[in-house]
Amino acid sequence: MYILLMGPPGAGKGTQAARLIEKYNIPQISTGDMFRAAVKEQTPLGLEAKKYMDAGQLVPDSVTVGIVKERLAKDDCKKGFILDGFPRTTAQAVSLDAILKEMGIALDAVVNLNVPSDELVRRISERARLENRDDDKPETVQKRLTVYEESTKPLIDYYRNSGIYKDINGLQDVDDVFTDIVNALGR
Ligand code: AMP
């Protein structure tokens, strides 16, 4: 099962991905988690990524596509994966198409979690309190939402007519969102 999980920051991608990996026994590929791990380990990638993350901006496509390509080449991705937070730009989506083609696989579903922006601000503020994520500071949150609107939301149009696009109401409680996703995946 090859799943792409999309949605704005705070839509619940991480929460739903955690449940999906358990149900389908496939790895979650979260570029945000990968960057946060690199920042923590203070690798050259982490030092580079941190500049962008702290500003609420996207890490450049070339860097991001590079780490995803490397990750997807690992053995555990052979049985499937959940992409969470990638692609975030049209250029990344085009690169992903090329990577998948090279791997000889195709996505089974593109799942978009739909949540209105006032609710996103509320959720991210709550996460800032609980998880103390550097990029959940109020001044950065607004920037991330703007970046989503400008750079990532257009991807909905990129995938909408693919035949595998699933729009999910992310405003429901966590269990109902998960049920809807599983039903949309159809297995
Ligand atoms: P996330 O946890 O997915 O919200 O990602 C946190 C931050 O990591 C984002 O605000 C970006 O700075 C960076 N990031 C994560 N995924 C990507 C991506 N696909 N392209 C560029 N930057 C990314």
Side-chain angles (χ1 to χ4, degrees):
M1 184 83 103
Y2 303 102
I3 305 169
L4 196 167
L5 196 53
M6 291 205 321
K13 296 189 296 291
T15 305
Q16 295 301 330
R19 293 185 168 209
L20 291 166
I21 59 177
E22 239 179 75
K23 179 165 173 68
Y24 297 104
N25 194 26
I26 48 179
Q28 169 194 13
I29 316 295
S30 159
T31 40
D33 285 351
M34 287 157 81
F35 286 137
R36 274 184 291 278
V39 169
K40 208 168 160 198
E41 287 159 24
Q42 298 189 323
T43 64
L45 168 72
L47 295 176
E48 171 75 4
K50 187 170 167 38
K51 294 187 287 192
Y52 299 95
M53 295 169 80
D54 285 351
Q57 288 169 348
L58 294 179
V59 178
D61 287 338
S62 55
V63 176
T64 308
V65 168
I67 65 160
V68 171
K69 189 167 183 186
E70 218 172 89
R71 180 66 186 85
L72 293 183
K74 299 229 163 93
D75 271 353
D76 63 337
C77 290
K78 292 214 165 78
K79 56 185 176 181
F81 49 72
I82 300 162
L83 282 171
D84 161 10
F86 178 91
R88 258 180 160 93
T89 63
T90 304
Q92 290 180 13
V94 171
S95 297
L96 175 63
D97 284 345
I99 293 170
L100 296 179
K101 196 170 172 193
E102 213 175 286
M103 292 173 72
I105 59 176
L107 293 173
D108 293 293
V110 174
V111 174
N112 183 51
L113 299 181
N114 224 325
V115 177
S117 56
D118 50 348
E119 171 66 7
L120 296 173
V121 173
R122 196 193 65 73
R123 289 186 187 181
I124 299 175
S125 314
E126 178 70 5
R127 185 168 67 188
R129 211 170 54 76
L130 297 173
E131 293 179 18
N132 204 15
R133 256 175 68 162
D134 279 348
D135 62 350
D136 278 347
K137 292 192 179 81
E139 58 274 26
T140 315
V141 167
Q142 201 49 55
K143 175 70 187 162
R144 286 166 63 211
L145 291 172
T146 307
V147 167
Y148 170 78
E149 289 290 328
E150 289 172 359
S151 303
T152 309
K153 207 174 179 184
L155 283 183
I156 293 177
D157 287 331
Y158 186 87
Y159 289 112
R160 199 195 301 273
N161 298 319
S162 60
I164 53 164
Y165 178 80
K166 322 280 178 193
D167 199 49
I168 303 290
N169 174 8
L171 208 47
Q172 313 171 84
D173 74 48
V174 175
D175 290 336
D176 292 337
V177 174
F178 185 65
T179 303
D180 278 6
I181 295 175
V182 171
N183 287 338
L185 293 174
R187 55 176 141 142

